[in-house]
C-alpha cells in the first residue's frame, strides 16, 4: 500500500512530492543552495532544486530544437 504524503505542496506551483533525494554535495554546493534559497525567497531548498531542474530542462529542450 502506497503511503500518502501529508505535504501536498512543496512550493513549486502545486506539484505533489514524489520522493526524496539524498546525495553528498561539496561545501560550495551546499552554501550555493543556501544562497539561492535566500535570493529567490524560496521556502525550502527543495523549492530551489525544483526550480533549478525546471530551468535546466527548459534549456535542454531549447538546445535540442
Amino acid at each position: 500500500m502506497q503511503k500518502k504524503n501529508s505535504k501536498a505542496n512543496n512550493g513549486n506551483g502545486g506539484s505533489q512530492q514524489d520522493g526524496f533525494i539524498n546525495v553528498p554535495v561539496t561545501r560550495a554546493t551546499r552554501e550555493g543552495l543556501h544562497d539561492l534559497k535566500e535570493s529567490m525567497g524560496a521556502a525550502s531548498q527543495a523549492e530551489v532544486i525544483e526550480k533549478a531542474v525546471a530551468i535546466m530542462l527548459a534549456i535542454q529542450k531549447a538546445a535540442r530544437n
Side-chain angles (χ1 to χ4, degrees):
M1 180 177 209
Q2 189 176 21
K3 183 178 175 182
K4 285 193 174 185
N5 195 330
S6 62
K7 188 174 183 182
N9 186 330
N10 62 359
N12 64 355
S15 295
Q16 299 240 341
Q17 270 189 347
D18 187 47
F20 293 89
I21 60 172
N22 183 12
V23 296
V25 296
T26 63
R27 180 183 304 260
T29 297
R30 184 171 43 83
E31 290 172 354
L33 185 57
H34 179 73
D35 288 344
L36 287 169
K37 179 180 175 241
E38 286 185 3
S39 69
M40 293 169 68
S44 66
Q45 290 180 341
E47 184 178 351
V48 174
I49 292 170
E50 291 282 342
K51 289 181 179 185
V53 169
I55 290 166
M56 296 303 299
L57 288 171
I59 291 169
Q60 180 184 48
K61 182 179 179 180
R64 288 182 177 167
N65 294 332

